[in-house]
Amino acid sequence: MHLTIQRDVFMQAVQDVSKAVASRTTIPILTGLKLEAHADGLTLTGSDTEISIERLIPIEEGGIELIQIQRAGSVVLNARFLGEIVKKLPTNEVTLEVSPNFMTRIESGQAEFHLNGLDPDEYPRLPELSSERRFYLPADLLKTIIRQTSFAVSGQETRPVLTGVNFSAEKGFLTCVATDSHRLALRRARFETDNDLTFQNVVVPGRSLNELAKLLDREELPVEIVLTDQQILFRLKNISFFSRLLDGAYPDTSRLIPEEYRTAVRMNAKDFLQAIDRASLLARADRNNVIKFVAEEATTVEVSSHSPEVGKVSERVSILSLEGEELKISFNSKFVMDALRALDASEIEIQFTGSMRPFILRPVEQDSVLQLILPVRTS
Amino acid sequence: MHLTIQRDVFMQAVQDVSKAVASRTTIPILTGLKLEAHADGLTLTGSDTEISIERLIPIEEGGIELIQIQRAGSVVLNARFLGEIVKKLPTNEVTLEVSPNFMTRIESGQAEFHLNGLDPDEYPRLPELSSERRFYLPADLLKTIIRQTSFAVSGQETRPVLTGVNFSAEKGFLTCVATDSHRLALRRARFETDNDLTFQNVVVPGRSLNELAKLLDREELPVEIVLTDQQILFRLKNISFFSRLLDGAYPDTSRLIPEEYRTAVRMNAKDFLQAIDRASLLARADRNNVIKFVAEEATTVEVSSHSPEVGKVSERVSILSLEGEELKISFNSKFVMDALRALDASEIEIQFTGSMRPFILRPVEQDSVLQLILPVRTS
């Protein structure tokens, strides 16, 4: 392998595929990136076996030449060193040349690196997914879905299936659900498919989705999503993002969501978020994050918190409307702040069915997204 | 105590004095800030016994009223909670009112906090420094002195006196020295004094100076510096910064600095810094940071590094001149990069007296600052 490449393009690609490389691994070759030069350009691959990312740098893009390939070939180079080196190279023109023993010369300006490379034949092969089960989502919608659900996955490995977001599809609608059994995030979206695609229990690790989200910023084309029994593939322009799916049956969450309510409060989301943020300053001190919420008046609600050691705080927050019964309830302020940030709406409605029952936050007059939270029992 | 104050002014003052508050302390009242309202305004104090900071918020400044004091008095409030609360208050007008039991009401807009306060009589008194030993330094010069020396103090408590910067003065010149016994930073500056001030062995903890530097950004007036046997006081506009001095005799460092050299290399500081930064990417891997430097040619030097595991790197760096003998030397790249950043010069001269002897970095044609570094023995 022998090629000349633009530093900035190379650096971006190395950073992209490095997202799949684990800092610690028991398989030494997985600390490396596979580089493969061929007639179409340079393909980089990083993997930790759960996530694999493949990125093509084409020979040219938009009429601009990105790579000159003098000799095809491949090598595996340490991801961390390669990333740091490329970032600090002195000029934008970089030459890579691999010797038969995989020693790789990287030259830029007056700087010359010789990195010990590894045999690319020892690098694990990516799965070749062939499946009829495929659909398309706009990149910004996919990013929003991830942002509105993945924060609510469980961080505990006791029920591994809850560390993922459950994707299901029926009648042209995609439903994504995440829950850690104290709260639940749900997002629905219409999707495009060539056939009448129906599936359920496709559970994608939350960590995979968070890494994928970082790659979606620059994406303008719709993302193609391909499903197999064990893997999901997100195909972006020049990037293939593979993730393992989680085993096990995702719990049926539909019956957790109350279908009616006894109290509904509409309010400005930002005012509410800031008031809870202030009240949680003292709540945090006791490490249970508990905030009290009282809806008894037509124009304001009260949020308050009390810490015997530090003191207490209370604040009245203006509301748009109160419908139904008066209510006192306690909740974890972090869960409500996470939910409000995820809704990303200027006006929200909170629907309660009593102080011991889960409550729902959703944007006013929009039912594609909801956040459900279990209250905290106090007494 | 009962007063109304502007949030932003209050927040800045709380942040300023909180720099002296230790996150962990065995003296509970030192987790707090002392607030004292009097005819001239509000005085805030924070201390960890090593550093104490006192900050006055005057009643008015530049014709703008900052505080209205309804009732004088004082209280001690938890620094961390107070800081977080003030930062998040909803409006710029803040009311503070202290009850006889030191419970303190903080009100802003619709938010109302009640913080448990402590008795200010239990807060340690700041030393009252009266001394004839005082001088003045422009704030930006003091900040530069700190930046050019304090990074070189020792991080190890085995010789506590080396964790400070040694200040001495003679004939209108101030000399500041820091060393961790592997490197040494020295800065000289002319200073203003009312009398013919001479002193030596005034060792200010590096940590104190770093905290002080953060307060110097906004300072426009010269800083008054007052010395006693145990304490140093830096008096800024509205801020008094006290630091304990370190006990013990600071070593005589003057004889460490070679007075002549056998090789002198002049070069562009930025080019050299970047080349060392690149070479250190592999040096770091072995955790000894060793870089090899070879000066044998009239127009370039070579920096290189080698790590059996990862690979090797070499780079030729253009120089302005080479005077004297040819030289090969090895050094810790981190020390040289720290020194180059501290010199802050576009062109520097490095003076060597052999590959086993300390070498000096200084700006070309400027002798108020120098950085001395011990080489690393290899082989």
Side-chain angles (χ1 to χ4, degrees), chain A residues 327-358:
Chain A
L327 176 95
K328 290 183 187 178
I329 196 167
S330 294
F331 52 71
N332 182 320
S333 62
K334 181 180 179 304
F335 289 170
V336 173
M337 288 196 285
D338 283 351
L340 287 167
R341 290 192 185 106
L343 289 180
D344 202 14
S346 61
E347 294 180 357
I348 54 129
E349 178 165 310
I350 317 182
Q351 298 168 349
F352 301 93
T353 43
S355 62
M356 294 301 184
R357 305 287 304 279

Side-chain angles (χ1 to χ4, degrees), chain A residues 81 84-85 88-90 110-116 277-278 281-282 284-285 308-316, chain B residues 81 84-85 88-90 110-116 277-278 281-282 284-285 308-316:
Chain A
F81 286 111
E84 290 182 2
I85 288 168
K88 294 192 168 167
L89 289 176
Q110 293 297 313
E112 185 171 297
F113 289 83
H114 294 262
L115 280 186
N116 301 335
D277 194 11
R278 280 187 282 274
L281 291 175
L282 300 196
R284 210 173 293 155
E309 271 177 50
V310 186
K312 59 186 178 179
V313 48
S314 68
E315 180 165 352
R316 300 210 69 86
Chain B
F81 286 110
E84 291 184 1
I85 288 168
K88 294 193 169 169
L89 289 176
Q110 293 296 311
E112 187 171 297
F113 288 82
H114 294 261
L115 280 186
N116 301 335
D277 194 12
R278 279 188 282 274
L281 290 176
L282 299 196
R284 210 173 292 156
E309 269 176 53
V310 186
K312 59 186 178 179
V313 49
S314 69
E315 181 165 350
R316 299 210 70 85

Side-chain angles (χ1 to χ4, degrees), chain B residues 202-247:
Chain B
V202 171
V203 188
V204 188
R207 192 178 77 80
S208 300
L209 293 172
N210 291 335
E211 293 299 340
L212 172 64
K214 297 175 193 163
L215 296 172
L216 291 171
D217 273 334
R218 304 193 308 270
E219 199 63 24
E220 290 170 6
L221 300 176
V223 177
E224 181 186 2
I225 301 169
V226 183
L227 298 175
T228 66
D229 288 347
Q230 314 245 311
Q231 295 270 339
I232 187 167
L233 162 61
F234 299 88
R235 195 170 280 150
L236 288 62
K237 186 187 172 200
N238 293 333
I239 294 181
S240 294
F241 185 104
F242 298 80
S243 172
R244 187 172 65 80
L245 296 175
L246 291 172
D247 291 332

Side-chain angles (χ1 to χ4, degrees), chain B residues 10 16 66 70 86 107 132 168 197 251 313 333-334 340 363:
Chain B
F10 190 34
D16 285 348
L66 305 179
Q70 280 89 33
V86 175
E107 194 182 316
E132 293 302 304
S168 58
L197 184 64
V313 49
S333 62
K334 182 181 178 302
L340 287 167

Side-chain angles (χ1 to χ4, degrees), chain A residues 181-182 288-293 328-333 335 353-359 373-379:
Chain A
S181 70
H182 301 288
N288 54 11
N289 291 311
V290 175
I291 290 212
K292 208 167 148 187
F293 175 95
K328 290 183 187 178
I329 196 167
S330 294
F331 52 71
N332 182 320
S333 62
F335 289 170
T353 43
S355 62
M356 294 301 184
R357 305 287 304 279
F359 57 96
I373 294 169
L374 268 67
V376 175
R377 282 162 202 262
T378 52
S379 64

Side-chain angles (χ1 to χ4, degrees), chain A residues 208-263:
Chain A
S208 300
L209 293 171
N210 292 334
E211 293 299 341
L212 172 64
K214 295 175 193 163
L215 297 172
L216 291 171
D217 273 334
R218 304 192 308 270
E219 197 63 23
E220 289 171 6
L221 301 176
V223 177
E224 180 185 3
I225 301 169
V226 182
L227 299 175
T228 65
D229 288 346
Q230 314 245 311
Q231 296 268 339
I232 188 167
L233 161 61
F234 298 88
R235 196 169 280 149
L236 287 62
K237 187 188 172 200
N238 291 335
I239 295 181
S240 295
F241 185 103
F242 297 80
S243 172
R244 186 172 65 80
L245 295 176
L246 291 172
D247 290 331
Y250 199 83
D252 176 14
T253 54
S254 61
R255 66 204 160 72
L256 294 177
I257 299 161
E259 294 192 348
E260 43 195 34
Y261 55 86
R262 303 215 305 248
T263 309

Side-chain angles (χ1 to χ4, degrees), chain A residues 195-207:
Chain A
N195 40 37
D196 186 16
L197 183 64
T198 300
F199 60 83
Q200 56 187 355
N201 212 76
V202 171
V203 189
V204 188
R207 192 177 78 79

